[in-house]
Every structure is written in structure tokens, then in C-alpha cells.
Amino acid sequence: TQLLEQSPQFLSIQEGENLTVYCNSSSVFSSLQWYRQEPGEGPVLLVTVVTGGEVKKLKRLTFQFGDARKDSSLHITAAQPGDTGLYLCAGFYDKVIFGPGTSLSVIP
Amino acid sequence: DAGVIQSPRHEVTEMGQEVTLRCKPISGHDYLFWYRQTMMRGLELLIYFNNNVPIDDSGMPEDRFSAKMPNASFSTLKIQPSEPRDSAVYFCASSFGGSDNTEAFFGQGTRLTVV
């Protein structure tokens, strides 16, 4: 049983479109992290959200932590081919756990 | 800093052989993690060390897997004997501190294929 669920599993969109991916859990987390993993590379941290309801922006990426601290979303505006990759959310339970990821492909 | 360095990048071995994966963490980091990534199971934490001491190895799949950290700048993950189901990408990561919002820095991974 996955403590962290992510949706959608796969997403293929055209350059310039907007998209939202989700990270959900039945457990409360003190914080959630989002990582991006490019093919052939290790994951790289994008952001950490720690307060329920918190919204953080990183250029065209907007991250939100749910009020109950059980879910998070990542919204990308005007997606670009460089956004292609696997987006992983991670939370600390008794140790760090990762969700299964959303594989995003942005087609030029 | 060169980041977390893993070797080899790719390893192909025959079933039954011993495999050793190596990791050099970022200097000054006190936590080191070994992960395994597969399509079926995603990114799984195998074991982590704090100040060279293994803290939690509950993710190690079975006794065929072992990990050591003889000093602050080197760790190994060994599989003996290897099996085809061990085929995966193995990542090493390090961090300064182990709290829930600490950033983990990952290496480029070792892609292991057991035939």
C-alpha cells in the first residue's frame, strides 16, 4: 500500500499548455517535498512545503500544500519541453517515502 | 563540489555473481541514503546512515543485500548472490541533517542489469 499516491501516472501535453499533478495521502505529513527527475539522472529537489494551505511559486511552477497537510499539487503554466521529467512527491513518515511519480512529457 | 558520485554508472552481471555499488557523498553531509528505483515499485529507501552508522535497514529486501559506510566519504551496497529481480537503478543520496524538510542530493545512479 502506497502511503503517497500521485496522479496522473502519465501526462503528455503540447508546449504552452497548463497542467496540474497531484500528490495525495490518507496520512498527515509535517511537510512534503517535490522533486523532478530527468532521464538518466537522480531526482532534484524543487520545493518543500511545510504549512497547511501554503503556496509556493518557482517561476512557472506553483506548489500548494493542502490545509489538512495530506495532499499537495503542482501546477505548471505554459509548459515547455524542458519541463519533461518524472515529478515525485516525498513525505516524512518514520522515514522519507516517495510517491510513484507523474511522468510528464511536453511535446514541442 | 562535484555532488554525490556513484560508480559504476552501468553494471551488467550474471545471476549468482557478487555486485558492489559505490558512493561518495557530498563532503560535510552527515546522512547517506541508498535507494532502489524500478518501474513497478518506484523509488524505495533501502538503508540510511547517520555519521557512518546504519540507522534503518528495514528497506533492505533480504540478506543478500548489505551496505557499509567505513568512513564519511565512502559507502558500498553489495548484493551477493545477485538475481535477475535485483535489476534496477540504485541511487545514493546524501544530506546535511535528517529532518523531514532536509534536501537530499542524489547521485546519477547505477543501472544494474542481472542476466
Side-chain angles (χ1 to χ4, degrees):
Chain A
T1 302
Q2 292 272 5
L3 280 175
L4 285 170
E5 304 283 347
Q6 290 189 246
S7 61
Q9 186 178 1
F10 299 98
L11 188 57
S12 180
I13 62 170
Q14 293 291 132
E15 182 177 358
E17 292 183 356
N18 302 332
L19 67 115
T20 303
V21 298
Y22 301 91
C23 174
N24 297 287
S25 176
S26 57
S27 301
V28 175
F29 288 92
S30 57
S31 65
L32 278 177
Q33 297 180 315
W34 285 92
Y35 285 79
R36 180 170 66 207
Q37 183 178 16
E38 297 182 9
E41 302 291 331
V44 176
L45 181 68
L46 295 173
V47 77
T48 301
V49 285
V50 298
T51 305
E54 180 178 6
V55 176
K56 281 192 174 179
K57 292 191 175 183
L58 186 65
K59 296 183 181 179
R60 295 176 294 100
L61 278 59
T62 302
F63 304 85
Q64 185 163 7
F65 199 14
D67 290 341
R69 306 207 313 277
K70 293 183 178 181
D71 57 271
S72 181
S73 63
L74 159 59
H75 181 81
I76 301 179
T77 303
Q80 299 178 0
D83 297 326
T84 293
L86 180 67
Y87 288 81
L88 296 157
C89 65
F92 190 89
Y93 201 61
D94 55 350
K95 55 190 174 186
V96 174
I97 58 169
F98 281 82
T102 292
S103 180
L104 172 64
S105 177
V106 182
I107 302 166
Chain B
D1 197 316
V4 175
I5 300 173
Q6 292 186 246
S7 64
R9 288 294 311 275
H10 302 275
E11 176 80 44
V12 180
T13 191
E14 291 186 346
M15 181 174 61
Q17 296 298 306
E18 177 180 295
V19 176
T20 300
L21 312 181
R22 297 173 174 78
C23 175
K24 178 177 172 18
I26 293 173
S27 177
H29 282 187
D30 55 348
Y31 280 79
L32 183 139
F33 307 85
W34 281 101
Y35 287 89
R36 177 173 68 177
Q37 187 174 40
T38 62
M39 286 292 292
M40 289 297 294
R41 301 176 67 89
L43 195 61
E44 302 173 278
L45 177 64
L46 300 177
I47 184 172
Y48 74 93
F49 296 81
N50 176 217
N51 291 323
N52 314 335
V53 176
I55 302 300
D56 186 341
D57 66 354
S58 59
M60 296 285 261
E62 47 197 277
D63 292 344
R64 297 184 296 105
F65 286 69
S66 62
K68 294 183 180 180
M69 192 166 185
N71 57 62
S73 59
F74 184 65
S75 177
T76 60
L77 177 66
K78 185 178 293 186
I79 308 173
Q80 165 64 17
S82 57
E83 296 183 3
R85 61 192 167 120
D86 301 331
S87 297
V89 182
Y90 291 81
F91 286 101
C92 174
S94 69
S95 67
F96 181 67
S99 67
D100 55 353
N101 57 7
T102 300
E103 179 176 4
F105 292 82
F106 284 77
Q108 290 185 299
T110 295
R111 181 174 294 277
L112 173 65
T113 303
V114 183
V115 297

